[in-house]
Amino acid sequence: MAKPEQVSDVELRALLESAHEMMRKGKSSEAVRTLSTAYLKLLALKPDLLDRTIEPLPGRKMPAVMRWPMLGANLTLESVLAKQPEIQFIRERFSVSEAITYYEYTLECAIAANA
Amino acid sequence: MKFGLFYELQLPKPYDRETWDPADERRIYHEMLDQVELADQLGFDYVFEVEHHFLEEYSHSSAPELMMAALSQRTKSIRLGHGIVLTPPPYNHPARVAERIAALDLLSNGRVEFGTGESASDMELGGFRVERGLKKAMWEEATREITNMMVSEPYAGFQGEFFSMPARNVVPKPLQRPHPPIWVAASRRETTMVAARLGIASLGFGFETPEELGERTREYYRLLREECMPIAHALNPGLAVLNTFMMGPTDEEAIRRSAGGPGFFSYSLGYYYNPATGSKHPPGRVNLYRAYKDSSSEGEAEERVARSGFLTEAQIREGEPREEVQRALYRAARSGNAIGTEQRLRATLRRYEEQHLDVMIFVAQAGDRKHEHIMESIDTFGRKLLPEFKERHETEHRKWREEQLRGIEFPINSSI
């Protein structure tokens, strides 16, 4: 069962807990912004994640971190390739389901990375 | 565990021609009617049919509401599932969805399962001018309002981000109250957790293993109990997963009958859903089946298909892609799981049952599989395996579900 208390890094855990609380209060947009910060924090803590690749098509590799959901808070490929990951916001408002998607993804990644 | 059938209505082109025979589309539609009618007679619980647009060969099911209406008159008990309706407003105006779901519910005497989703292929998103980055928000806004339309008399109207309409009484109302059970298509783990937190069922398209499914089930029901913020007026707790399905008198014969199904399913799915190929598809000018048959990896794929019925889980996993979507494609192509004899299927399906899966949905119609083999498989499964699973569902699983749902005070409308 994935919960923020499974994350060791104090700052990252606090960001996840804060995002969770925002989600529960219906503050979806704020939660997505916090989760974006949390994901960038995770990548700073575990820079080796930037080197991992997936192969969507045979012979076509892409950075695994690009699986971050592209729902309006978008991780840019250029920044990942430059090892200076950035998330660009193409809109201000986010829905509940989008916040949940970002939360579940970030939490899973943090736990899987032993952050 | 309950059982259903799943339909994309796949129609590979003839290998040596550029288009189909005029009667081919008619044929697959009527074959589906026959297959579901038989499944209904044997006690299958669900049929789910997709809504896809422009995905030639991969799916010719663009108007599932019409097939469901036809099935409502040819079947008596089987639940009629949209798997799914595309609810972003550019595809279907929310009021039209509410009207169609309600009308089908009346026609079928309350047998509708309202699956919802967003779509992901460039052919569909681009064809209806849906911006990829907004589709989930569109799905949520429309799905929430569709349920409001089904329960409100009159519907108060809505000024939203993606659609608006004045106050109207949306009629008819569905027979099931407050509305039919609601599902969401989930090809990624995150979406299953979205389903849990919003109180709807997860229609899993990821071909998960029993062990993965077990973890997701535990987490899904925990979130449902502890953190649910319902999107609708009744909860629909449940997890379903897809599995490829073909039976035969021997494992070898079942694999032989199945071989052109999952392979083409996976190939065409990968073609349309990968931006590198799907976005560049020239409409009407590709023979995907020929490309699949001629692909350089075909030999490897067929070898894998031929072997996989006899591989251990560890061996199967050894060659699996780690990326979730690619893993789903790989597993769709893998001729294992619900393919084989009665004995093999019993053993495989018991593993899902032990992980408390609610609904197993079989993909039988796929690629160039033969109608007579699908009918024989439905018949064999329905007579030899379905009764024992049904019995355990009514006793053991229902008791387990009651424990999972204990303490939930929100109304529940679920057919599971």
Side-chain angles (χ1 to χ4, degrees), chain B residues 25-101:
Chain B
E25 285 181 326
R26 178 195 176 280
R27 174 179 58 76
I28 59 165
Y29 270 67
H30 286 266
E31 286 175 352
M32 177 178 165
L33 291 172
D34 290 343
Q35 290 162 17
V36 177
E37 187 173 23
L38 175 63
D40 177 55
Q41 290 165 359
L42 291 164
F44 277 70
D45 303 286
Y46 298 94
V47 55
F48 281 96
E49 184 184 352
V50 303
E51 176 187 341
H52 279 310
H53 301 277
F54 319 129
L55 305 185
E56 43 190 326
E57 299 187 70
Y58 174 72
S59 173
H60 289 231
S61 172
S62 52
E65 64 275 15
L66 296 182
M67 180 64 91
M68 292 289 136
L71 283 169
S72 74
Q73 302 307 297
R74 284 187 54 165
T75 59
K76 289 187 169 59
S77 304
I78 197 166
R79 304 280 303 179
L80 303 175
H82 277 282
I84 44 73
V85 179
L86 298 172
T87 60
Y91 287 116
N92 295 291
H93 190 284
R96 291 288 291 122
V97 176
E99 292 165 347
R100 294 200 311 247
I101 293 292

Side-chain angles (χ1 to χ4, degrees), chain A residues 1 20 56 67 95 97 104, chain B residues 140 197 222 227 323 326:
Chain A
M1 293 189 184
H20 182 258
R67 284 199 69 245
S95 68
S97 60
E104 294 290 344
Chain B
E140 183 180 326
R197 291 178 186 274
R222 181 188 75 79
E227 303 197 20
E323 201 277 317
Q326 290 308 306

Side-chain angles (χ1 to χ4, degrees), chain A residues 1-110:
Chain A
M1 293 189 184
K3 290 187 173 179
E5 51 257 43
Q6 293 166 257
V7 175
S8 304
D9 183 81
V10 176
E11 194 179 335
L12 180 56
R13 186 171 66 232
L15 285 167
L16 289 164
E17 287 171 343
S18 173
H20 182 258
E21 188 63 22
M22 289 169 185
M23 261 178 13
R24 298 286 293 156
K25 290 180 176 171
K27 297 179 178 176
S28 303
S29 304
E30 290 92 332
V32 171
R33 288 197 172 275
T34 304
L35 289 162
S36 299
T37 305
Y39 195 56
L40 294 177
K41 171 73 180 170
L42 171 65
L43 298 183
L45 283 171
K46 302 282 182 181
D48 57 308
L49 292 175
L50 294 167
D51 297 324
R52 295 186 189 169
T53 56
I54 54 174
E55 202 168 314
L57 278 179
R60 285 175 179 267
K61 288 189 177 179
M62 62 182 286
V65 295
M66 294 303 293
R67 284 199 69 245
W68 164 263
M70 298 292 191
L71 300 173
N74 296 346
L75 183 64
T76 63
L77 180 60
E78 298 75 22
S79 71
V80 170
L81 294 176
K83 310 285 187 199
Q84 292 180 326
E86 286 180 8
I87 291 173
Q88 289 184 352
F89 285 80
I90 60 168
R91 60 198 168 98
E92 295 296 316
R93 290 176 56 191
F94 289 89
S95 68
V96 176
S97 60
E98 289 171 326
I100 297 170
T101 302
Y102 280 116
Y103 175 76
E104 294 290 344
Y105 178 80
T106 309
L107 179 59
E108 278 291 307
C109 286

